[in-house]
């Protein structure tokens, strides 16, 4: 079980490349490293959160196109900036909102929780198994040679990002393609995950206050998942020195 100091040390190694900030100087990444989690399958608490998120999404949309929501629209522009087609590879917030109308997926306790927070706060939010990381998380523009562990047609395959694509990665390869589009199988949260990394992605017009509110809500809900839950936190912006903490 990682100690609090180890969680912070892990985050301190995190990095967002200058080439990413060149695309979107307004980008902010808020990272949470969490230890002491009690994992498990989907449960009643998660079900209630997902139902609340589905209801909020239906009320927010109410016949309005998903892509016209301000934060979704900002992410569509960000995808276009590195050559992705938003209509084919939707950012994670848009993908969840589109599913929320008919019903969000029920996956496991941790995934259900962060999906609900993502929809409730209108922010792309990803969760990774921290114990499956090799080195610190880094957001870079891909060379095109990095391995990405995924599945196609029910079989495990290794793919590679497009050159210039924005990807999260560690020393072993890509952990999430196209900023926040699709996560690797290797670091997926599961029913035995006890330590996790959560990444909250913000662009204007989302304010810093709204970003921190989403992180606080996620933290509060995570601390209910065990008596020994510990959370370390770091905000990375275009003006953040490499060793600065939130």
């Amino acid at each position: 079980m990682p100690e609090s100091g180890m969680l912070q040390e892990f985050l301190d190694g995190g990095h967002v490349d200058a080439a990413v900030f060149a695309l979107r100087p307004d980008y902010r990444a808020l990272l949470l490293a969490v230890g002491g989690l009690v994992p498990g399958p989907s449960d009643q608490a998660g079900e209630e959160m997902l139902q609340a998120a589905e209801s909020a999404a239906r009320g927010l949309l109410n016949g309005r196109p998903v892509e016209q929501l301000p934060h979704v629209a900002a992410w569509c522009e960000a995808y276009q900036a590195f050559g992705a087609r938003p209509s084919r590879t939707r950012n994670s917030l848009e993908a969840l909102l589109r599913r929320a109308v008919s019903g969000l997926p029920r996956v496991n306790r941790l995934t259900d929780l962060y999906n609900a927070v993502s929809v409730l706060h209108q922010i792309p939010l990803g969760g990774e198994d921290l114990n499956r990381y090799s080195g610190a998380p880094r957001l870079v523009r891909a060379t095109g040679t990095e391995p990405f562990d995924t599945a196609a047609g029910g079989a495990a395959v290794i793919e590679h990002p497009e050159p210039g694509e924005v990807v999260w990665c560690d020393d072993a390869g890509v952990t999430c393609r196209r900023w926040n589009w699709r996560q690797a199988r290797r670091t997926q949260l599961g029913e035995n995950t006890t330590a996790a990394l959560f990444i909250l992605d913000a662009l204007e017009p989302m304010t810093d206050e709204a970003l921190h509110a989403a992180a606080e809500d996620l933290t509060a809900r995570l601390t209910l998942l065990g008596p020994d839950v510990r959370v370390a936190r770091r905000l990375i912006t275009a003006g953040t020195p490499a060793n600065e903490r939130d």
Side-chain angles (χ1 to χ4, degrees):
M1 183 184 300
E3 299 296 331
S4 296
M6 294 174 63
L7 294 172
Q8 191 64 59
E9 182 179 359
F10 173 77
L11 292 185
D12 287 347
H15 174 73
V16 176
D17 195 78
V20 176
F21 285 125
L23 288 176
R24 293 294 303 222
D26 58 328
Y27 174 63
R28 289 142 288 157
L30 207 164
L31 312 182
L32 301 179
V34 188
L37 293 166
V38 177
S42 298
D43 56 20
Q44 184 58 36
E47 178 64 28
E48 291 173 2
M49 281 190 62
L50 289 169
Q51 289 182 9
E54 290 164 351
S55 178
R58 286 191 290 268
L60 180 68
L61 293 171
N62 194 26
R64 183 183 186 183
V66 175
E67 62 273 15
Q68 290 184 7
L69 296 177
H71 206 200
V72 172
W75 278 104
C76 289
E77 293 174 359
Y79 273 38
Q80 290 173 329
F82 65 84
R85 296 182 181 179
S87 61
R88 295 183 60 185
T89 54
R90 297 187 174 100
N91 63 81
S92 66
L93 173 58
E94 180 179 355
L96 281 177
L97 285 169
R98 288 180 179 276
R99 297 192 67 175
V101 175
S102 58
L104 291 165
R106 274 62 173 167
V107 183
N108 55 55
R109 179 179 292 162
L110 294 175
T111 304
D112 293 352
L113 189 157
Y114 84 74
N115 278 346
V117 171
S118 175
V119 172
L120 288 168
H121 288 270
Q122 294 295 289
I123 184 170
L125 201 171
E128 310 273 356
D129 192 318
L130 191 150
N131 290 322
R132 296 182 180 181
Y133 259 72
S134 176
R138 302 184 298 277
L139 185 66
V140 303
R141 300 198 69 179
T143 65
T145 62
E146 300 90 343
F148 177 68
D149 173 29
T150 187
V157 296
I158 299 296
E159 296 179 352
H160 301 276
E162 298 292 330
E165 184 180 322
V166 177
V167 297
W168 281 100
C169 62
D170 63 5
D171 294 343
V174 174
T175 56
C176 187
R177 285 192 61 183
R178 295 176 187 167
W179 223 319
N180 48 40
W181 170 59
R182 179 174 295 170
Q183 294 170 296
R185 288 161 49 97
R186 172 171 59 91
T187 54
Q188 284 180 338
L189 297 178
E191 293 183 13
N192 57 0
T193 298
T194 58
L197 168 68
F198 295 94
I199 301 173
L200 294 84
D201 291 318
L203 297 171
E204 293 178 354
M206 174 166 263
T207 64
D208 289 346
E209 291 78 10
L211 171 60
H212 285 289
E216 292 292 345
D217 188 19
L218 178 61
T219 298
R221 296 177 190 273
L222 289 169
T223 56
L224 299 177
L225 299 184
D228 300 317
V229 172
R230 296 175 307 284
V231 182
R233 179 167 164 171
R234 183 171 180 224
L235 175 68
I236 304 177
T237 70
T240 302
N243 61 350
E244 183 175 313
R245 299 179 186 176
D246 179 28

